[in-house]
Amino acid sequence: MKYYGILMLGAPGSGKGTQAQILSKECNFSHISTGDILREEVSNSTELGKKAKVYMDEGKLVPDELLLEIVSSKIKNSERGYVLDGYPRNLNQALSLEKILSELNKPLNYAIYLDVPEEELITRLTLRRLCPKCGKIFHLKYFPPLKEKECDNCKNELIQREDDKKEVVLKRLEVFLNTTKPLIEFYEEKGILKHIVALGSVEDIRNQIMLILRCKEI
Ligand code: AMP
């Protein structure tokens, strides 16, 4: 059976996390989300979490060396394939990743870029709300809770992620434009970039990705 190495590229709010999750689940790939890994470390107050929080709360990237080993070991342990979500975020990380992948002999097959206009990204992120108890995610415009500010499931008060606040969102988008977007050219030159205009429904984008990858019948 073919092994897949996939990388999701896109700004915060482009839906890459959602698509990475769907893809990994449907095709049994390891979903490697550095944002999720870091949030878990922060909520467990580990040494790594304490260091990372300072950067995350300001919308900045955490130092490269904090992530390399974790990403490397997750790729090493993946059996059917991996979907990288949120890594690499700059050229230095992309070069480190190349080195790891060649050592592990698990090359990237596709870099999928989910392209969403900035206005839409700001709407998606700043209106997102989260239930701190059950983790359910709402959106005040696209998927509002039945009762204002309250989780439909557990009736807990909804919160906004610190880094979804407008000033932090703008910083995250700036970091994406200046630091991560150049990676699109990097992977284009390698001949593995696939560009998707990611404005349709979750299902629609999922189908487009599946058509590209052909890892499963749709
Ligand atoms: P995300 O959920 O992917 O938007 O990540 C949330 C935050 O985690 C980012 O704003 C960064 O502070 C940090 N982060 C996630 N992935 C990386 C990475 N590859 N390099 C540096 N920082 C990262």
Side-chain angles (χ1 to χ4, degrees):
M1 212 178 290
K2 185 174 174 216
Y3 181 91
Y4 279 86
I6 298 157
L7 160 60
M8 305 297 293
L9 272 173
S14 60
K16 63 182 167 17
T18 305
Q19 295 298 335
Q21 210 168 15
I22 294 175
L23 183 59
S24 320
K25 199 164 166 213
E26 290 192 25
C27 302
N28 265 321
F29 300 148
S30 301
H31 177 195
I32 306 172
S33 159
T34 43
D36 286 351
I37 293 169
L38 290 172
R39 277 184 286 279
E40 170 119 23
E41 297 282 334
V42 170
S43 83
N44 291 334
S45 293
T46 64
E47 278 311 304
L48 168 59
K50 283 184 213 156
K51 281 186 198 153
K53 188 174 186 311
V54 185
Y55 298 89
M56 294 170 79
D57 283 351
E58 289 184 19
K60 294 181 183 160
L61 294 186
V62 310
D64 294 347
E65 64 274 13
L66 295 186
L67 287 167
L68 189 59
E69 212 176 293
I70 299 185
V71 171
S72 168
S73 86
K74 298 237 178 220
I75 295 174
K76 192 172 174 189
N77 293 330
S78 62
E79 285 171 10
R80 291 276 331 270
Y82 57 86
V83 185
L84 283 167
D85 162 14
Y87 192 95
R89 286 279 240 274
N90 58 30
L91 193 58
N92 184 43
Q93 292 182 5
L95 295 173
S96 305
L97 178 67
E98 281 209 314
K99 200 157 160 266
I100 299 169
L101 296 179
S102 111
E103 280 164 15
L104 297 174
N105 194 22
K106 290 183 165 180
L108 269 178
N109 302 107
Y110 297 101
I112 297 176
Y113 172 43
L114 300 184
D115 190 0
V116 176
E118 188 167 310
E119 271 304 291
E120 172 65 13
L121 293 169
I122 293 172
T123 303
R124 286 188 189 180
L125 292 169
T126 55
L127 298 183
R128 185 159 68 176
R129 296 292 182 272
L130 169 79
C131 172
K133 198 166 168 214
C134 71
K136 194 173 169 71
I137 292 169
F138 296 86
H139 191 277
L140 300 185
K141 181 172 169 195
Y142 301 134
F143 184 55
L146 294 171
K147 201 168 157 203
E148 208 192 333
K149 296 188 192 162
E150 192 180 278
C151 176
D152 294 355
N153 287 348
C154 49
K155 312 293 173 211
N156 226 74
E157 188 175 347
L158 299 177
I159 58 161
Q160 184 175 37
R161 243 170 73 175
E162 205 50 47
D163 61 354
D164 280 346
K165 300 204 166 137
K166 180 125 185 205
E167 60 282 10
V168 185
V169 164
L170 294 178
K171 177 71 196 165
R172 289 163 74 200
L173 291 177
E174 182 196 314
V175 170
F176 174 75
L177 274 181
N178 295 334
T179 316
T180 311
K181 214 169 172 197
L183 295 184
I184 290 164
E185 207 174 310
F186 180 83
Y187 289 109
E188 195 151 40
E189 278 169 13
K190 294 189 179 301
I192 58 169
L193 190 84
K194 300 286 173 188
H195 183 270
I196 293 179
V197 177
L199 279 175
S201 67
V202 170
E203 182 68 11
D204 176 39
I205 312 297
R206 175 244 173 233
N207 291 346
Q208 290 190 55
I209 294 174
M210 288 298 178
L211 270 177
I212 292 170
L213 302 182
R214 303 207 166 277
C215 55
K216 193 183 169 215
E217 292 303 314
I218 59 167

